[in-house]
Amino acid sequence: MQDDDRTDAGGGANPPAGATNNPLIAKLESLAKLSGDDKDVLQRISANPQVVEPGTALIREGDKPDGVYLILDGIACRYKLRASGARQIMAYLVPGDYCDLDVALLKAMDHAIGTLSTCHVVRIDLDTIQGLLDRHPGITHALRLATLVDEATLREWLVNIGRRSADERIAHLLCELLLRLRAVGRTAGQGQSYALPITQDDMADTIGLAAVHVNRVLTSLQRRGLIAFSGQQVTILDLVGLEAFAEFKPNYLHLGGRDAA
Amino acid sequence: MQDDDRTDAGGGANPPAGATNNPLIAKLESLAKLSGDDKDVLQRISANPQVVEPGTALIREGDKPDGVYLILDGIACRYKLRASGARQIMAYLVPGDYCDLDVALLKAMDHAIGTLSTCHVVRIDLDTIQGLLDRHPGITHALRLATLVDEATLREWLVNIGRRSADERIAHLLCELLLRLRAVGRTAGQGQSYALPITQDDMADTIGLAAVHVNRVLTSLQRRGLIAFSGQQVTILDLVGLEAFAEFKPNYLHLGGRDAA
DNA sequence: CGGGACATTGAATCGGCTCAAAAGTGGTGG
DNA sequence: CCACCACTTTTGAGCCGATTCAATGTCCCG
């Protein structure tokens, strides 16, 4: 939809002042040092993204994966479907995220990947990836770190669903998204707000709740003055309060600077 | 406690007929081919395990990890604690499993690892690991596959907690454990039963339920003739029925042979 | 202006929780 | 060998958070 608006909005609060607009570079730089050459290569890879409609499957369960998708704009996700049609979303792919560097080692995907919003996506074939890993140790290292963070995030989501109340779960998710989007320069305002182009249904399938209840919780969080919505733009009005409420500890994101190790 | 009894019990139904008793070798062989030399090296690494009491922390959240723990007997787990004391277990480490090959890349652990039962454990230092990765490509490949399976398992647990009922969750967990323990030769009977040396409290913290309710569900699954308990030995009486009930699809374990890819 | 997707609100229900107590179970020391 | 203790399992009763079902409201788009 209005992705071009968002590009402007992102200009407000990019964290490493004067960073690229390239979310992959920004993400990897938040985890490790990259050389100028590394960045050039990554920039070249991100050229000419294709635009994908919301609700498009990029990879289906059972497929033998033959490439990697890099998200440059929008939100995609990993998910599984039950026979009943119930869906569980297991990860969000925000700008700078990519899927399954080395899943090519496996014979078949055990889950699907699809877009939640309109997305700008680049497909990178295996040879390109391999070349990258062979010739750019700095990138390789950063990508490995990123993989570890993905795993840590997955674990935190398990804690979220398993041991937090509905209100806490949503608060936690909103905190996480703020930090992740900040790291790739996709926040607006004073770095307190961001576009969240997903439906309440999507959010429900993310945190193991029913959509109706997600609605009630969001309403309640707004009434308490913790967050505000205007359309699909979320603003965290009281980050400290929201983090405390959700018992959010950002350590699992392993962000280089600001918050803990 | 009676870990020596268990060693005997395991002798009943090792899957690749005439396999080693070494669970790490068995596990890796279920994922990839290993040379004789590879197996020798792994066998040597597994020598002289130390015995660890139930409820011992092997690694604490915040620690800077300096080695890898390999489980040879018993069950350990990854977990996080909330301020309230609530615990979420995020993974089981059964014989042949190990923790965090390359977590040394990170500055601090974002979760803890501890034993649930008495365990036989080997600590492998980073140099040994590095030597293994440098000199044994076959092992390296198998270890990478194992890491992917760990991730896939974590995703399936998220689906389990997020989108299955209490009964289905427990049924699913019991199915998964049967297959995992079979793959490392730790089942007894006709490969339908195994030792599950954990409390109902542990299980509750694993699947996001209260211990009392775990008890009721276990009782109910027994009444329905799907499983049987004798002490801490579980027997899956009707695997087909249990899998159907839990909607268990073993594809995410990526086991080489028997069940799908 | 009409249709479709999404959000919002209400009412009733239910799955799983909390609290509480009783009944094993195994280990320990006298 | 028995009594005792701590831990775990089992069972009951009542409650509450989240669900389902259903209706209404809102916005966007053709």
Side-chain angles (χ1 to χ4, degrees):
Chain A
M1 36 175 79
Q2 62 299 59
D3 1 77
D4 296 81
D5 304 359
R6 209 155 336 117
T7 304
D8 300 346
N14 290 1
T20 18
N21 192 30
N22 185 308
L24 176 58
I25 295 178
K27 170 179 164 161
L28 295 186
E29 280 198 307
S30 80
L31 295 170
K33 288 232 157 56
L34 294 179
S35 72
D37 183 43
D38 288 342
K39 289 189 243 182
D40 288 347
V41 172
L42 293 174
Q43 187 65 53
R44 228 170 303 130
I45 282 181
S46 318
N48 307 318
Q50 65 187 112
V51 177
V52 183
E53 288 298 292
T56 308
L58 296 175
I59 300 180
R60 285 190 180 72
E61 183 168 346
D63 281 3
K64 181 167 168 44
D66 62 338
V68 168
Y69 287 92
L70 166 64
I71 309 297
L72 291 171
D73 196 53
I75 298 191
C77 70
R78 302 174 189 279
Y79 65 96
K80 286 194 186 189
L81 296 175
R82 293 198 54 181
S84 65
R87 174 180 61 163
Q88 177 64 44
I89 291 176
M90 301 168 301
Y92 283 167
L93 302 177
V94 303
D97 291 338
Y98 48 81
C99 53
D100 306 305
L101 268 193
D102 45 13
V103 84
L105 299 173
L106 296 174
K107 296 186 197 98
M109 284 291 289
D110 53 47
H111 64 280
I113 296 177
T115 57
L116 292 175
S117 71
T118 300
C119 286
H120 294 190
V121 172
V122 177
R123 191 184 157 284
I124 308 172
D125 57 51
L126 291 180
D127 294 340
T128 309
I129 296 285
Q130 198 54 54
L132 215 62
L133 297 178
D134 290 344
R135 280 191 292 282
H136 296 272
I139 295 179
T140 303
H141 180 245
L143 290 175
R144 261 213 292 177
L145 284 177
T147 301
L148 292 180
V149 172
D150 286 350
E151 260 187 78
T153 304
L154 192 51
R155 283 192 293 265
E156 187 63 36
W157 281 32
L158 199 72
V159 178
N160 209 24
I161 296 190
R163 284 289 177 250
R164 280 193 184 86
S165 70
D167 316 66
E168 291 169 333
R169 283 182 217 181
I170 293 191
H172 192 280
L173 179 64
L174 294 176
C175 288
E176 178 186 304
L177 284 172
L178 182 69
L179 294 205
R180 286 173 63 183
L181 292 171
R182 254 190 205 168
V184 293
R186 286 294 195 280
T187 50
Q190 268 47 252
Q192 302 295 127
S193 76
Y194 54 91
L196 189 59
I198 67 173
T199 66
Q200 294 182 356
D201 215 59
D202 295 332
M203 196 180 289
D205 289 347
T206 304
I207 52 185
L209 296 172
V212 200
H213 202 238
V214 167
N215 184 287
R216 289 190 238 266
V217 170
L218 286 175
T219 307
S220 147
L221 290 175
Q222 283 180 279
R223 253 192 284 99
R224 282 184 259 178
L226 292 168
I227 61 172
F229 272 86
S230 77
Q232 298 201 307
Q233 196 77 15
V234 199
T235 301
I236 311 298
L237 297 173
D238 175 7
L239 181 55
V240 173
L242 195 65
E243 287 185 345
F245 175 69
E247 206 173 284
F248 177 83
K249 293 188 302 172
N251 61 327
Y252 69 96
L253 295 172
H254 296 276
L255 296 166
R258 100 192 109 274
D259 315 277
Chain B
M1 36 174 82
Q2 61 302 59
D3 2 79
D4 296 79
D5 305 359
R6 210 155 337 114
T7 305
D8 300 345
N14 291 1
T20 16
N21 192 31
N22 186 306
L24 176 59
I25 295 177
K27 170 178 164 162
L28 296 185
E29 280 198 306
S30 80
L31 295 170
K33 288 231 157 55
L34 294 179
S35 72
D37 183 43
D38 288 342
K39 287 190 245 183
D40 288 347
V41 173
L42 294 174
Q43 187 65 54
R44 228 169 303 130
I45 282 182
S46 318
N48 307 319
Q50 65 187 114
V51 177
V52 183
E53 289 297 292
T56 308
L58 296 175
I59 300 180
R60 286 192 179 72
E61 183 168 346
D63 281 3
K64 181 167 169 45
D66 64 337
V68 168
Y69 287 91
L70 165 64
I71 309 296
L72 292 171
D73 196 51
I75 298 191
C77 70
R78 301 173 188 280
Y79 65 96
K80 287 195 187 188
L81 296 175
R82 292 198 54 182
S84 64
R87 175 180 61 162
Q88 177 65 45
I89 292 176
M90 301 167 303
Y92 283 167
L93 303 176
V94 303
D97 291 336
Y98 47 82
C99 53
D100 306 306
L101 268 193
D102 44 14
V103 85
L105 299 173
L106 296 173
K107 297 187 197 97
M109 284 291 290
D110 53 47
H111 64 281
I113 296 178
T115 57
L116 293 176
S117 71
T118 301
C119 285
H120 293 190
V121 171
V122 177
R123 191 184 156 285
I124 308 172
D125 57 51
L126 290 180
D127 294 339
T128 309
I129 296 286
Q130 198 54 54
L132 215 62
L133 296 178
D134 290 344
R135 281 190 293 280
H136 296 273
I139 294 179
T140 304
H141 181 244
L143 290 175
R144 263 215 289 179
L145 284 176
T147 301
L148 292 180
V149 172
D150 286 350
E151 261 187 76
T153 303
L154 192 51
R155 283 192 293 266
E156 186 63 35
W157 279 32
L158 199 73
V159 177
N160 209 24
I161 296 191
R163 284 288 176 251
R164 280 193 184 87
S165 70
D167 316 66
E168 291 169 333
R169 282 182 217 182
I170 293 192
H172 192 280
L173 178 64
L174 294 176
C175 288
E176 179 187 304
L177 285 172
L178 182 69
L179 294 204
R180 286 172 63 182
L181 291 171
R182 255 191 204 167
V184 293
R186 286 296 195 277
T187 50
Q190 269 48 249
Q192 302 296 129
S193 76
Y194 53 92
L196 189 58
I198 66 174
T199 66
Q200 294 181 359
D201 214 59
D202 296 332
M203 196 180 289
D205 289 346
T206 304
I207 52 185
L209 295 173
V212 200
H213 201 239
V214 166
N215 183 285
R216 290 191 237 267
V217 169
L218 286 175
T219 307
S220 146
L221 290 176
Q222 283 181 280
R223 254 193 283 99
R224 282 185 260 179
L226 292 168
I227 62 172
F229 273 85
S230 75
Q232 298 200 308
Q233 195 78 13
V234 199
T235 301
I236 311 298
L237 297 172
D238 175 7
L239 181 55
V240 173
L242 195 65
E243 287 185 345
F245 174 70
E247 205 173 283
F248 177 83
K249 293 187 302 173
N251 61 327
Y252 70 96
L253 294 173
H254 296 277
L255 295 166
R258 95 191 116 275
D259 315 278

